[in-house]
Every structure is written in C-alpha cells, then in structure tokens.
Amino acid sequence: MKLHRLTVAAALAAALLASGCNNSGDSSSSGSSSSSSSGGSSSSSGAAAAASYWMPYVAGPSSGATGGKTGVFVVPSDHPTATPTMMTSNAVASSGIFADPLATSLEEYLTDNSGAVSGTITSSGYYVTSDGVGNHLYHLDLRDTSKVPSPVQVGAPLAASAVLCDMAVFEQTLNTPSSVVILVHAAGADNSCISAADDVVYLYHAGDGSGVAPVVTPIAAASPIQSTATPIEDGVTGNLAGLVYIDGRHNLSFSDLSFIAPKTLVTGASAYSLVYSRNGYAFVEVIAAGKGSLYRVSAAGAISDDLYDFQPSNQTARAVEDSANGNLWFEDVGGTFDHNGVETAYSVRLVRLPISGSAVAQVIYSTSNTVPAGFQGLEEAFPVGVFGSSFIFDVQSFGIQRNTPALPASVYALPVNATAGTAPTVITSLPFGWFGGNQIVNSQLFLSVHNAIDANSSAISNSIEVLDASGAVLKNYPQSLFEGSVTAVSGKPLAPQLSTPVIYLAEGYTAPVTSSDPGGATVYAVSTAVSLEQAPVTVPGGGSFMPIHGEQPGVNTDGPAVMMNFDSDSSSNLAVSVLDVLANQWISIANPASTTQQPFAEAGQGFGPAGSGF
C-alpha cells in the first residue's frame, strides 16, 4: 500500500480540522520532527506547503464494452473534480508479464528557503504507447498546473512487435527530475518475459531526443526489473553511484551507467534479490553455487564477505532497520518439499546483523514445524520494528485446506540487544488466524487482527487493535480493516525523516465474514498524534464515505490529494477516485465512458529503504 507524504503540519491539520480539534502543542508521531503551533494551527498553513501538480492515470477498455476513451489522462491535484484532460489517444502498452500498464511516476521533494523538506509532489510521469508502428516512450512534466502538460517522446521507439515486460525509473542526481534514467525490459525472440535468456534491457535518459537510440545494456534481464538492476546512491550527495546487476556471463557486477569498466562482485551468480537499501549501500541475496548468500555492496562497488547463508527454498519478505542500534533485522523462511512439490515442513528465522556489515548475521529467533497433511503452508517471522527497548515481530502460518485461512499466530517482543536463543515475550496470540499490516506509530503498536473461529472454518473476524509498550490494548476497532496512511516528511532530501500522523481504516463493515472487503463500512481518518481522535471521511455534498460491498479503497500516490482506486469483486472495472487529505473528503474522478481507470505506478523519490511500506 503506497504511502502519502505531506508536511507534518498539513497532515495533522487534515485529521484535526476534520474532527474539530485544536492541535496546539501536539507533537508529530516521530521524535525526529515536530510541528510548531503556528505551522499546525490552521489548514491554511498546511495547505500552503502542499503545491499542486497533475495526477496521471491510464484509461483502457472495459471488458465487453465499446466506445470508451483509451489513453493517458491527467487531473489537477488542487481541482480533482475538473474534467480529465486526455494526453494521448493511443493505447498504453501493457506489461508482458504483469498485464499492468507500462506507466510510472516519480516524486520530487519540495524544500523551503533553508533547504528543509516541506513535502513532496509527483513531478514526472513516464509511459509507453503502441501505435502499430513502434513502442514509444513518453515523458510528462506534471509540476505546473497553470498549463496542460505536453507529452515529450524520449528516445527512438522500439519495434512495434517487441513484447515489453516492465520498466523502472530513477534519478542520477538527487531531487532532479531532468536527470532521470529509464530502464525498459523487452522480451527476446520467444516473446516471453519469463524465459529471459535472450531478453534485453534498454537504457534511456530523460533528455534523449526522439532520434536517439536507447542503449543496449549488459544487464541480464529478469522480471521485475527492480530485481535486475539496483541503483545505489553515493552516501554523500545522494546522487547515483552505480548499479548492481547480473550480467550475461552470470556475474554479479557493479558499474556506472557507461558500463565501460564494471566491477565483478560475485562470479557464477544465477540470480539476486534486493534485501534492503539505503543511501550509500545495499544488502543483496545472491544465488550462486546452489545457495543464497547475503552481501553488503557499498556505493564504491565494494562487496563484503558472505554475511549470512539463507535456508534452501527461502523467501525473504521484509527487512527493518534499527537505526538507533545500527542493526538490520530480516526474516528467512525455508521449506522442505516432497517429490510432488508439496511442502511438508518449514523453518522460520529472525536474523540480525550490523548495518555496517562489520560482522556476520546472527539468528536471534527460530522455529520449525511440520505442515499438517492436506495443508499448503506459507510461514513467516515478520519483523515489525523497534518498540521502546524491544524489537517486535510476528510468527504465523497460513494454511489452505477446504478454504481454511490460517493456523496459530503470535506477536512477540525481544530485547533489541537479545542474543541468539533468547526466549521472546508473547504480546498477543491467536489460536487460529493471522496478523497483517502491523506498524509502530507514535509509541503505539497498530495490529490488524484476522481471527478464525477454528482450524476448519473459513469464517474470519477482522479488527484493528492499538497496544502500548506493555501490551495493553488502548483501543479496539471491531469489523475493521486498514486502508492506508499519511506519511509526513521532514529533514533534508539526503536524509528525509518520516512519521505517520494519520492512518485510514474502514470500520463496521457489513460484508460476510468470509469476505475481506469493507462493504457497508465507514472510512475514518485517525490521528495517531492526538489520542487516536478519528473523523469520518466525507463525500461532496455531505455525509460519510461508505464503500459499497466489493469496493476496497487503498492509498496509491502522493500529494495534497491522494489517488485511490477501487477494485470491485462484482465487476472487472477499475475506477479512480481521490482522497483530498486536507479536506478529508473522497472525490470520484469523472470516468470516460466504457473504460477502466488505473493510476500510474509510483516509483517514489530517490531509492529509499526497501520494504518500508505500510
């Protein structure tokens, strides 16, 4: 779920003004930044910090419908009820593996006179259209709503017959949209994005004219493209230092964008995946010689020794930084499978290592078990984060048997300096169920609780609980689901500081307990900084926003208004709406007849920490 970034003052004003509260003297949800009484006392001060921009989305034909408009549209963030402006009449190319539109956008930090971050806007959009003659890459400058943006072709087109798999964008110079580089992954002769032996990754620069051919890179393609090439910043200026990638000779390599003198980091590498990255370094899992090993790669292209060997058939879902103690925590889940490929046992580990890479990783917690006959398991030791002097994580096992949703689950706490084998403290547990969307905000632990009646039942009761550091329940929201959050940003562009002053939840849904959608619920903005005060999200003309059965709102992009999309399980159609954060109001965007709508994918600003989503 994408995070919406806004200034601390504006984010607090959004929730507090909607609930009629005064926020004088209240602090933000992060100790690293706080709102001032003048900055957060009125909506005008918050709104002034949020610049307007064009919000892009893609429209395509609905299933079985005719006559609808197809292409890229934009609406101004400060006037989302305006008639959408169409940018192109050509169809937007779709990913050859994900079936999503090849369209992405990039954020830019807004700064004040002192150089401090005051918010973010969506500054640029990139998309590919196919007109039967070629696949054309276009750029939209979205920063000035006083004039309609004009699409600008970037580089020469690829062949119309090319199957494009996915693409990625990133900046060479921090907070400079003109320095953007675009990687486009195209399938080879077999037109398959899965069998990638002869696939090609092309490199474009944002300033390439329409006659400039893209660079054919030595990157060995794979999908998603983010697992093919990882950018690393230099750690001082925030500018691009180089890319980590696997080349055609199966070497993990590091190079600048010239690819003239790459450094070979690991030979015989069949694949790699990003575990975590920050300004100046990245941790990657490299598969070589039949095993997965963890390495730290610096901005200079230096690689550490093998820091950790993953379990066979492992999956690493999330890594969390403990910056105060200089550590990184991550999970390692391994499975044992029979000759039919059915999982028979699993082992989960919670692992910790110094961010500096100065020592090998330690397994702090581990557990293993067999998978009951007839079940297909999915296990995790999911790291949540630091809570006071403890590190919080949950351990759960999802099972599938006659729609059985889950097995036992628990949320645990360990001392941040715990040694291997230290027994964790149980904060809360479920005999049958799972926890999801958990996060620590403003010294409070928010848990999404999915409780099953028993191991043989698919009936689920969903709720949200807020706990303090002792495990005491501060508040319970029955029949509720998380729907997103506002992330306030402060500090400097090189080291932005994030906090979460507002979350959104759908409370009191009336859909059957076997369904996870929030039909009949009211969507609330909940201030995490003011005793969990909540205010219903409204709709134009008055009244609360209540999704109908089948609708599932979710925060998607950034700015003073947040794009959100519906995915109705009663229809194949997608429709785009906007949550105006400052007004706490849900606004539907006009839908061209007989078309679906989908916001651009959000690439974010810079590179940021991997796995830090809500």
Side-chain angles (χ1 to χ4, degrees):
M1 197 171 288
K2 179 63 189 171
L3 303 181
H4 167 66
R5 297 179 181 176
L6 203 61
T7 62
V8 174
L12 288 175
L16 298 178
L17 288 171
S19 60
C21 297
N22 189 317
N23 69 327
S24 177
D26 293 319
S27 62
S28 76
S29 60
S30 170
S32 60
S33 60
S34 62
S35 62
S36 65
S37 58
S38 60
S41 61
S42 70
S43 60
S44 61
S45 62
S52 61
Y53 62 96
W54 292 97
M55 297 186 291
Y57 67 95
V58 175
S62 300
S63 177
T66 59
K69 296 181 179 180
T70 298
V72 172
F73 291 78
V74 295
V75 291
S77 64
D78 57 349
H79 188 27
T81 57
T83 301
T85 302
M86 194 171 189
M87 294 287 96
T88 175
S89 58
N90 292 327
V92 176
S94 295
S95 163
I97 187 170
F98 303 112
D100 292 327
L102 285 173
T104 189
S105 57
L106 194 73
E107 290 178 352
E108 179 182 353
Y109 289 125
L110 301 175
T111 57
D112 59 22
N113 292 335
S114 70
V117 175
S118 58
T120 65
I121 62 170
T122 300
S123 62
S124 305
Y126 291 88
Y127 59 93
V128 177
T129 65
S130 181
D131 60 3
V133 178
N135 283 292
H136 304 264
L137 175 64
Y138 284 95
H139 165 245
L140 288 174
D141 187 335
L142 304 170
R143 293 173 292 181
D144 185 0
T145 55
S146 67
K147 60 182 180 181
V148 176
S150 298
V152 176
Q153 183 169 325
V154 179
L158 298 175
S161 59
V163 174
L164 304 184
C165 303
D166 57 345
M167 70 179 187
V169 301
F170 51 88
E171 294 177 331
Q172 296 185 78
T173 304
L174 179 65
N175 218 38
T176 307
S178 62
S179 71
V180 162
V181 170
I182 307 99
L183 296 178
V184 177
H185 170 198
D190 60 1
N191 290 331
S192 170
C193 295
I194 299 175
S195 175
D198 60 347
D199 290 8
V200 179
V201 175
Y202 296 95
L203 183 149
Y204 294 84
H205 295 85
D208 288 347
S210 59
V212 178
V215 175
V216 177
T217 73
I219 299 171
S223 291
I225 193 72
Q226 288 82 359
S227 295
T228 297
T230 298
I232 300 182
E233 300 160 296
D234 66 9
V236 178
T237 66
N239 299 338
L240 180 71
L243 292 178
V244 176
Y245 62 95
I246 291 180
D247 64 23
R249 300 186 303 275
H250 300 291
N251 296 321
L252 184 75
S253 301
F254 179 88
S255 175
D256 61 22
L257 296 183
S258 71
F259 299 104
I260 294 174
K263 295 181 180 179
T264 298
L265 306 180
V266 178
T267 59
S270 59
Y272 91 95
S273 60
L274 176 65
V275 175
Y276 189 81
S277 67
R278 272 289 197 184
N279 183 16
Y281 63 87
F283 285 95
V284 295
E285 178 188 356
V286 182
I287 309 299
K291 71 170 185 175
S293 300
L294 181 70
Y295 297 94
R296 183 185 190 273
V297 181
S298 74
I303 189 168
S304 68
D305 293 331
D306 183 349
L307 298 173
Y308 177 76
D309 290 336
F310 290 90
Q311 301 179 85
S313 304
N314 78 290
Q315 49 186 318
T316 304
R318 180 177 170 88
V320 174
E321 180 181 342
D322 174 10
S323 57
N325 295 287
N327 290 322
L328 184 71
W329 297 72
F330 62 91
E331 70 167 333
D332 175 19
V333 180
T336 302
F337 299 84
D338 64 17
H339 63 282
N340 293 317
V342 176
E343 187 177 26
T344 58
Y346 65 87
S347 172
V348 297
R349 298 174 180 174
L350 183 68
V351 187
R352 186 188 67 207
L353 83 160
I355 290 175
S356 64
S358 58
V360 297
Q362 291 182 293
V363 177
I364 305 300
Y365 170 89
S366 65
T367 186
S368 60
N369 211 332
T370 58
V371 177
F375 280 75
Q376 177 183 340
L378 173 62
E379 303 76 33
E380 66 176 19
F382 194 82
V384 178
V386 176
F387 197 27
S389 60
S390 299
F391 189 85
I392 306 299
F393 66 102
D394 61 57
V395 176
Q396 47 202 346
S397 304
F398 302 89
I400 303 173
Q401 181 192 45
R402 298 187 305 277
N403 295 321
T404 301
L407 295 170
S410 296
V411 178
Y412 293 106
L414 275 169
V416 292
N417 59 354
T419 56
T422 300
T425 300
V426 177
I427 294 179
T428 185
S429 62
L430 297 171
F432 308 101
W434 72 95
F435 300 95
N438 307 327
Q439 66 170 344
I440 297 165
V441 178
N442 199 27
S443 300
Q444 300 164 116
L445 174 59
F446 287 76
L447 298 177
S448 183
V449 182
H450 307 274
N451 193 10
I453 296 174
D454 56 49
N456 297 309
S457 173
S458 59
I460 302 295
S461 174
N462 300 310
S463 64
I464 295 172
E465 292 184 354
V466 186
L467 284 65
D468 65 15
S470 71
V473 178
L474 300 175
K475 193 162 186 177
N476 179 275
Y477 300 90
Q479 294 296 95
S480 297
L481 295 166
F482 278 126
E483 297 300 343
S485 63
V486 170
T487 296
V489 58
S490 58
K492 300 288 186 177
L494 185 62
Q497 298 169 341
L498 307 181
S499 59
T500 307
V502 178
I503 66 166
Y504 295 95
L505 57 87
E507 183 178 6
Y509 66 86
T510 57
V513 291
T514 54
S515 174
S516 61
D517 70 64
T522 298
V523 177
Y524 290 93
V526 179
S527 171
T528 66
V530 191
S531 303
L532 302 177
E533 293 286 346
Q534 65 185 67
V537 176
T538 62
V539 293
S544 300
F545 168 53
M546 298 179 65
I548 63 173
H549 176 72
E551 293 178 337
Q552 185 120 25
V555 177
N556 187 271
T557 62
D558 298 292
V562 184
M563 296 286 273
M564 306 179 86
N565 64 341
F566 280 159
D567 185 2
S568 174
D569 59 13
S570 61
S571 168
S572 62
N573 295 346
L574 289 171
V576 176
S577 296
V578 165
L579 174 64
D580 185 331
V581 174
L582 295 178
N584 200 33
Q585 190 170 79
W586 184 272
I587 303 168
S588 296
I589 290 180
N591 189 0
S594 305
T595 62
T596 63
Q597 300 167 296
Q598 189 167 345
F600 276 36
E602 181 63 76
Q605 207 294 326
F607 314 127
S612 60
F614 175 73

